[in-house]
């Protein structure tokens, strides 16, 4: 019998890459999707090839993390060996405008899921992974950030993530649940949502190159981030949940680069002068912006053998190559409609 896995947030960047990884490993993959919203499932289209490959299958369930009864029903039905919670409101900027919703979807929803595992009698069988965030650390006095760095959240998003992280640790101690948190630093890919600054940049480069867009408006270009490659990071998630001992791990590259560096590299790779196209937009400047974020993957490298391979410039080129092709298709479609 193949292992069964349940993924929340399966339609997101990380969920789609994780589903692909686990299908390749022979898992029976189950995902929770919301019925009440217009769900963007294009990220899952490439997974259709795995549906008829036994024993790997992809099965989607309608559900809401706000509905405890529904969660318990899904757990009874699936009986998962592993659960990866990747769902939630993912934008730090939006969290300032929607703090209550962010707290519910990123905080209380995690407790509801943990309770569902306990109440469905699967605490001794099911392994649980929680997607924690580097945002939890806020401004730090010393870099790189490690698992021992104190949390100091500076946004509703970060505060909700800290609450969820602490509750996972509580359930691990109180109920003996094999529950772990992966503290992921920024990780990007061609599947990244276009509201995130990295994808906003690479999409704009492609569209500007093909004459579909004139300018790119951005906020502060000085913040530095630790950027990795999302398909590698979901492998890190899997390694964390396979470990004999349930522990929390930082997943990062221990390199930091500014938004300006990302812009310069992206435009230069496409043969464009970024200063001709990028304009400052004060409305996009984030409240309580963090100056620099950089994490150490030493613990996960030492304990589990995971280490990032894709470097900063290669990551940008992967994204630019994808978005240049996407823009070329858009340009061709526009030309044919004229």
């Amino acid at each position: 019998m193949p292992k069964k896995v349940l993924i929340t947030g399966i339609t997101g960047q990380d969920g789609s890459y994780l589903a692909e990884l686990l299908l390749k490993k022979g898992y029976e993959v189950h995902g929770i999707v919301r019925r009440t919203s217009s769900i963007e499932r294009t990220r899952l289209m490439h997974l259709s090839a795995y549906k008829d490959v036994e024993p790997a299958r992809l099965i989607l369930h309608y559900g809401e993390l706000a509905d405890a009864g529904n969660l318990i029903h899904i757990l009874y039905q699936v009986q998962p060996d592993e659960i990866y919670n990747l769902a939630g409101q993912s934008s730090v900027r939006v969290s300032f405008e929607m703090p209550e919703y962010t707290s519910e979807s990123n905080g209380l929803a995690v407790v509801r899921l943990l309770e569902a595992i306990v109440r469905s009698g699967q605490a001794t069988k099911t392994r649980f992974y929680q997607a924690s965030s580097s945002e939890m650390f806020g401004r730090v006095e010393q870099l790189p950030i490690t698992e021992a760095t104190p949390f100091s959240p500076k946004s509703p998003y970060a505060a909700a993530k800290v609450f969820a992280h602490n509750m996972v640790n509580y359930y691990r101690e109180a109920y003996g649940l094999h529950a772990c948190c992966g503290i992921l630093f920024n990780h990007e890919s061609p599947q990244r949502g276009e509201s995130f600054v990295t994808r906003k940049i690479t999409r704009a480069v492609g569209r500007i190159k093909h004459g579909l867009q004139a300018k790119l408006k951005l906020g502060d270009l000085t913040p530095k981030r630790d950027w990795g490659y999302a398909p590698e990071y979901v492998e890190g998630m899997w390694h964390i949940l396979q470990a004999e001992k349930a522990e929390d791990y930082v997943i990062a590259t221990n390199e930091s680069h500014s938004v300006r560096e990302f812009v310069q590299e992206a435009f230069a790779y496409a043969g464009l002068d970024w200063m001709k196209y990028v304009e400052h937009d004060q409305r996009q400047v984030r409240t309580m912006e963090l100056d620099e974020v950089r994490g150490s993957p030493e613990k996960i490298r030492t304990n589990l053998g995971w280490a990032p391979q894709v470097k900063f410039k290669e990551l940008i080129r992967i994204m630019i190559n994808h978005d240049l092709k996407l823009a070329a298709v858009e340009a061709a479609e526009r030309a044919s409609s004229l």
Side-chain angles (χ1 to χ4, degrees), residues 7-9 14-15 18 65 83-90 105-107 110 113-114 128-136 151 157-158 160-166 168 179-185 187 233-234 237 240-241 248-249 251:
I7 303 173
T8 70
D14 293 1
L18 180 63
L65 295 191
I83 297 174
Y84 293 83
N85 181 39
L86 310 181
Q89 196 288 102
S90 60
S105 63
N106 291 1
V110 180
L113 189 51
L114 291 165
F128 179 82
Y129 172 89
Q130 165 64 13
S132 289
S133 169
S134 61
E135 290 286 336
M136 301 188 303
F151 297 141
Y157 171 87
K161 283 290 189 179
V162 169
F163 171 74
H165 183 96
N166 288 337
V168 170
C180 314
C181 297
I183 308 172
L184 271 66
F185 284 60
H187 48 292
Y233 279 38
V234 300
M237 297 178 190
I240 289 172
L241 215 52
D248 304 328
Y249 289 89
I251 300 182

Side-chain angles (χ1 to χ4, degrees), residues 74-320:
I74 291 174
L75 290 180
Y76 270 125
Q77 184 180 10
V78 177
Q79 298 283 309
D81 299 287
E82 300 173 9
I83 297 174
Y84 293 83
N85 181 39
L86 310 181
Q89 196 288 102
S90 60
S91 170
V92 175
R93 182 180 60 81
V94 169
S95 77
F96 289 102
E97 301 174 15
M98 304 178 69
E100 184 177 345
Y101 172 70
T102 301
S103 299
E104 164 63 38
S105 63
N106 291 1
L108 289 175
V110 180
V111 178
R112 210 169 282 120
L113 189 51
L114 291 165
E115 269 294 294
I117 295 172
V118 173
R119 292 178 182 271
S120 64
Q122 298 183 61
T124 58
K125 173 195 175 184
T126 302
R127 294 189 170 199
F128 179 82
Y129 172 89
Q130 165 64 13
S132 289
S133 169
S134 61
E135 290 286 336
M136 301 188 303
F137 297 106
R139 293 188 177 94
V140 298
E141 296 181 358
Q142 185 174 354
L143 294 172
I145 293 167
T146 72
E147 293 80 3
T149 303
F151 297 141
S152 181
K154 300 301 181 186
S155 67
Y157 171 87
K161 283 290 189 179
V162 169
F163 171 74
H165 183 96
N166 288 337
M167 290 303 291
V168 170
N169 278 263
Y170 163 72
Y171 273 79
R172 182 164 68 209
E173 296 175 8
Y175 296 99
L177 187 64
H178 191 104
C180 314
C181 297
I183 308 172
L184 271 66
F185 284 60
N186 296 63
H187 48 292
E188 318 301 320
S189 76
Q191 297 279 31
R192 192 56 141 161
E194 294 182 23
S195 62
F196 289 85
V197 67
T198 51
R199 189 76 196 289
K200 183 178 181 180
I201 293 166
T202 60
R203 282 289 279 136
V205 169
R207 291 177 61 81
I208 290 170
K209 185 72 173 179
H210 287 278
L212 300 173
Q213 184 172 329
K215 298 290 182 178
L216 169 62
K217 294 184 178 182
L218 295 172
D220 190 357
L221 302 183
T222 62
K224 292 184 176 181
R225 293 294 181 266
D226 185 327
W227 277 302
Y229 186 40
E232 290 187 335
Y233 279 38
V234 300
E235 291 182 12
M237 297 178 190
W238 179 79
H239 280 291
I240 289 172
L241 215 52
Q242 309 314 304
E244 183 177 347
K245 182 182 179 183
E247 295 185 74
D248 304 328
Y249 289 89
V250 163
I251 300 182
T253 71
N254 203 14
E255 291 185 11
S256 62
H257 300 272
S258 68
V259 177
R260 179 177 281 104
E261 288 178 79
F262 197 106
V263 169
Q264 291 172 334
E265 185 66 29
F267 275 85
Y269 182 65
L272 300 171
D273 180 357
W274 72 277
M275 297 190 71
K276 293 181 179 179
Y277 304 102
V278 176
E279 296 180 349
H280 178 72
D281 183 359
Q282 185 61 33
R283 295 173 299 176
Q284 296 187 44
V285 176
R286 186 190 295 179
T287 303
M288 298 185 73
E289 182 66 86
L290 306 179
D291 297 329
E292 182 175 6
V293 177
R294 177 164 55 88
S296 170
E298 186 58 33
K299 180 181 176 182
I300 191 171
R301 178 188 290 115
T302 300
N303 291 7
L304 307 181
W306 180 91
Q309 302 299 319
V310 175
K311 299 297 184 181
F312 179 68
K313 290 186 178 182
E314 183 181 356
L315 166 65
I316 293 173
R317 291 170 183 177
I318 290 171
M319 296 177 69
I320 290 291

Side-chain angles (χ1 to χ4, degrees), residues 320-337:
I320 290 291
N321 286 335
H322 176 275
D323 286 340
L324 283 171
K325 292 178 182 178
L326 188 60
V329 172
E330 291 176 342
E333 290 176 348
R334 176 177 293 187
S336 65
S337 65

